Amino acid sequence: MENDEHAKPLLKNKVYYENCPGCKVEQLKVTQCDLPWKRLLSAWIIMLCTALPISLLFPFLYFMIKDFHIAKAEEDIGYYAGYVGSAYMLGRAITSVFWGMLADRYGRKPVIVIGTIAVVIFNTLFGLSTNFYMAVTTRFILGSLNGVLGAIRVYASEVCREEHQGLGQATIIAAWGIGLVVGPAIGGLLALPAEKYPNIFSKGSLFGRLPYLLPCLCISILAVPVAIGSFWLEETLHMHEETNSVEDDSFDALEALSSQSNGKHVEEVEGGGPTSKKSLIKNWPLMSSIIAVSIVSLQDIAYTEIFSLWAVSPRKFGGLSYSTDSLGVVLSVTGFGMLIFQLFVYPFVQKIYGPVILSQICCVLSIPLLQSYPFIAQLSGWSLAVVLSCASMAKNVFCAFAIVGLIVLQNKAVDQDQRGVANGISVTAMSLFKAVGPAVGGAVFSWGQKRQDATFLPGNQMVFFFLNLVQAIGVLSMCKPFLVERHD
């Protein structure tokens, strides 16, 4: 048994292998009690890079669809915007389990490398889109090749000790949430550059003829060094033959195996205990947390699209008549606020309330906040800008806090050898819900614009009421007996 010669029983019930990258990470976790800031910073940058393109398009999507001349009436723009917004998530939903299996088989790093390279190529091609079908296709392919979310969430959980799990996942979700806000800010500020910055970009220039290329190209350029740097990311998957033959976790069995005194015994490998053969579908703590986070994610992506469409739509339809750069400023303030709250406030409140109660509180507080949006539209000037920025920041912070708590529960529900597939299932479910979100949200937004004179919840009041219905379902999914926590 050649591999056994390299096994090191450093702690009771734990065996490490010299050439296994996962074992090296576990050894560092035993010897280093501090938070692994360098690894989490790398994960944060990668997550931010891959999150930026997801909602980049929402501030200018209204104008992009209008330029494609595919909508017969202005009120129909929301329908077509929903299809473009859903394409990315639909592609990701189809391939997420595949990427999760790949991450469990060959490692987290290959999946992350492929995903970051896909951002560089296909996000640029989206900016080059000249018609509706090219825009849908490039977004779909980008989503299909981007399996980073599941892999990087697993990576963050595997480089952190148990007491740092909450902060590790909060770091990833902070990058994700900031990317979903800063991405639209970049899109809003840099789209249509020939109109906004005529002294720099002429209408006959490349960016004048392709008015939505500049924001996409900027994010792709930012992704280039991230894609290169991801080749040096530390692998966390356990890679040795015995990983998949674990049955007996007693210390006596380990001692017997190490001395080769009993060939029938097999060892327990560090990385989460005995390899679980239980079906993930029957793991209710896992599935209940996935269902809850999927519902919250559906509401979040629908809100993200509706918020941008509502802000740039005309006042006559209940919108704010914001320009893309004004919307970009609001989203920039939101992104900065999210960064502060995620890094400095979340760890504190999570220790007080725990992940489940904190998620419930945040989702409940979002409901009255959302229903106030149609009344915010009655403001103007600086009062509108300040109130809108505060409301946007609060809504995104509430959502990010809720998702972090549910993802912490999700990672605790499975052992290390199943986390890649488990996160693949989670990302698939979230992506399916998020694929539905923009399409349904766009349709509801268009419907709301056509019923400005209705007696019951006229115009955008119905749109935000719809978002609150989804949020209420999300709150119910976080309550017992539906949501179940794993207790070892």
Side-chain angles (χ1 to χ4, degrees), residues 247-366:
E247 297 294 342
D248 190 348
D249 64 347
S250 69
F251 181 65
D252 292 336
L254 292 174
E255 289 294 318
L257 181 62
S258 299
S259 62
Q260 300 181 13
S261 62
N262 189 345
K264 294 182 181 180
H265 283 119
V266 293
E267 64 281 312
E268 179 188 17
V269 179
E270 169 60 23
T275 303
S276 175
K277 301 299 181 183
K278 182 179 178 181
S279 170
L280 292 177
I281 303 299
K282 296 179 181 179
N283 184 338
W284 187 241
L286 171 66
M287 298 310 297
S288 62
S289 62
I290 288 177
I291 293 171
V293 78
S294 297
I295 295 172
V296 175
S297 297
L298 180 145
Q299 195 271 355
D300 180 48
I301 195 69
Y303 163 81
T304 301
E305 182 191 38
I306 287 173
F307 178 80
S308 296
L309 293 174
W310 169 65
V312 300
S313 62
R315 285 274 185 178
K316 64 180 181 179
F317 294 129
L320 305 180
S321 293
Y322 262 34
S323 62
T324 56
D325 51 344
S326 297
L327 177 59
V329 171
V330 172
L331 295 175
S332 298
V333 173
T334 301
F336 177 77
M338 284 187 65
L339 177 63
I340 299 300
F341 275 89
Q342 284 287 87
L343 295 182
F344 300 106
V345 177
Y346 178 81
F348 175 73
V349 295
Q350 195 267 345
K351 287 181 181 179
I352 297 176
Y353 296 105
V356 177
I357 295 178
L358 181 58
S359 297
Q360 293 170 342
I361 292 173
C362 289
C363 287
V364 169
L365 290 177
S366 295

Side-chain angles (χ1 to χ4, degrees), residues 42-366:
S42 299
W44 188 88
I45 293 172
I46 292 170
M47 189 70 264
L48 179 66
C49 164
T50 53
L52 285 173
I54 295 176
S55 52
L56 160 78
L57 71 165
F58 288 135
F60 59 77
L61 186 55
Y62 187 94
F63 304 101
M64 178 182 258
I65 298 298
K66 195 173 182 179
D67 289 346
F68 287 157
H69 303 292
I70 193 168
K72 296 181 179 179
E74 192 172 3
E75 295 91 335
D76 295 328
I77 289 176
Y79 289 108
Y80 294 96
Y83 293 132
V84 179
S86 297
Y88 177 95
M89 292 300 170
L90 180 60
R92 198 175 72 175
I94 294 173
T95 60
S96 289
V97 172
F98 166 76
W99 291 118
M101 295 172 64
L102 202 68
D104 279 345
R105 176 78 175 179
Y106 298 105
R108 322 310 187 196
K109 186 165 75 172
V111 176
I112 293 170
V113 170
I114 294 171
T116 52
I117 293 174
V119 170
V120 176
I121 298 172
F122 291 98
N123 189 57
T124 303
L125 290 177
F126 172 70
L128 294 169
S129 297
T130 55
N131 59 67
F132 172 76
Y133 300 102
M134 181 178 177
V136 171
T137 302
T138 52
R139 291 286 295 179
F140 177 82
I141 297 175
L142 176 59
S144 299
L145 295 179
N146 199 329
V148 173
L149 177 58
I152 207 70
R153 282 184 351 199
V154 173
Y155 174 85
S157 70
E158 290 173 345
V159 299
C160 290
R161 294 165 62 95
E162 180 67 25
E163 62 268 26
H164 297 142
Q165 288 289 318
L167 185 55
Q169 291 302 317
T171 302
I172 298 303
I173 300 303
W176 174 262
I178 291 167
L180 294 182
V181 175
V182 175
I186 294 173
L189 292 170
L190 299 182
L192 303 164
E195 295 181 12
K196 297 175 185 174
Y197 317 109
N199 295 331
I200 303 175
F201 305 100
S202 66
K203 291 187 177 181
S205 66
L206 175 65
F207 297 114
R209 289 181 283 109
L210 298 168
Y212 310 107
L213 173 61
L214 182 59
C216 298
L217 187 61
C218 286
I219 289 178
S220 296
I221 292 172
L222 290 174
V224 170
V226 177
I228 296 172
S230 62
F231 282 93
W232 283 271
L233 190 70
E234 194 173 25
E235 182 57 71
T236 59
L237 180 67
H238 289 275
M239 295 181 178
H240 37 74
E241 294 179 1
E242 285 76 16
T243 301
N244 294 322
S245 61
V246 180
E247 297 294 342
D248 190 348
D249 64 347
S250 69
F251 181 65
D252 292 336
L254 292 174
E255 289 294 318
L257 181 62
S258 299
S259 62
Q260 300 181 13
S261 62
N262 189 345
K264 294 182 181 180
H265 283 119
V266 293
E267 64 281 312
E268 179 188 17
V269 179
E270 169 60 23
T275 303
S276 175
K277 301 299 181 183
K278 182 179 178 181
S279 170
L280 292 177
I281 303 299
K282 296 179 181 179
N283 184 338
W284 187 241
L286 171 66
M287 298 310 297
S288 62
S289 62
I290 288 177
I291 293 171
V293 78
S294 297
I295 295 172
V296 175
S297 297
L298 180 145
Q299 195 271 355
D300 180 48
I301 195 69
Y303 163 81
T304 301
E305 182 191 38
I306 287 173
F307 178 80
S308 296
L309 293 174
W310 169 65
V312 300
S313 62
R315 285 274 185 178
K316 64 180 181 179
F317 294 129
L320 305 180
S321 293
Y322 262 34
S323 62
T324 56
D325 51 344
S326 297
L327 177 59
V329 171
V330 172
L331 295 175
S332 298
V333 173
T334 301
F336 177 77
M338 284 187 65
L339 177 63
I340 299 300
F341 275 89
Q342 284 287 87
L343 295 182
F344 300 106
V345 177
Y346 178 81
F348 175 73
V349 295
Q350 195 267 345
K351 287 181 181 179
I352 297 176
Y353 296 105
V356 177
I357 295 178
L358 181 58
S359 297
Q360 293 170 342
I361 292 173
C362 289
C363 287
V364 169
L365 290 177
S366 295

Side-chain angles (χ1 to χ4, degrees), residues 363-384:
C363 287
V364 169
L365 290 177
S366 295
I367 293 177
L369 177 64
L370 273 178
Q371 207 57 46
S372 70
Y373 273 48
F375 303 101
I376 293 176
Q378 298 177 11
L379 302 175
S380 62
W382 279 105
S383 59
L384 173 61

